[in-house]
Amino acid sequence: MLRDVAEQIWLEQESSSANLKLAQLATTDGLTRLANRRSLDAFLRERTPSSGFSVLLIDIDHFKGFNDALSHQAGDSCLKQIAEVIGSATKDTGGLSARYGGEEFAVVLPGVNEARAVRVADA
């Protein structure tokens, strides 16, 4: 009986761990490891206009040409590096950095005024 209980506990822990990984996969962009569009939409739904927030939209100009000329692997590597910079610049802001689309990123900064948002964007 002790073995059955220990096995049941182990199975519950494995199930919980698998559910946590699945939730993370469902909310994270597989390439950049930033939040995905689904996470961004959920994050925005939780915000109220009265609480105030700033949004940075970042679009990588001429990315298609870069991707076509240098290969999709080079493009993926570029996107990963850009995501790392965006994540680093926004990690202490309490905001959310997300991959919005192919070469588009969004950063939501709750409670951050325009002047501070500009500093984050410059970083």
Side-chain angles (χ1 to χ4, degrees), residues 34-86:
L34 293 178
N36 63 16
R37 178 73 180 266
R38 179 182 294 129
S39 289
L40 175 66
D41 291 344
F43 191 79
L44 287 171
R45 278 193 299 273
E46 294 170 3
R47 302 289 155 261
T48 60
S50 63
S51 63
F53 58 89
S54 294
V55 177
L56 307 176
L57 295 174
I58 303 159
D59 180 58
I60 311 307
D61 289 338
H62 311 291
F63 184 76
K64 183 179 179 345
F66 176 91
N67 214 21
D68 291 345
L70 298 176
S71 81
H72 290 283
Q73 288 178 324
D76 287 353
S77 177
C78 180
L79 289 174
K80 287 177 187 177
Q81 291 176 44
I82 291 167
E84 189 175 312
V85 170
I86 292 170

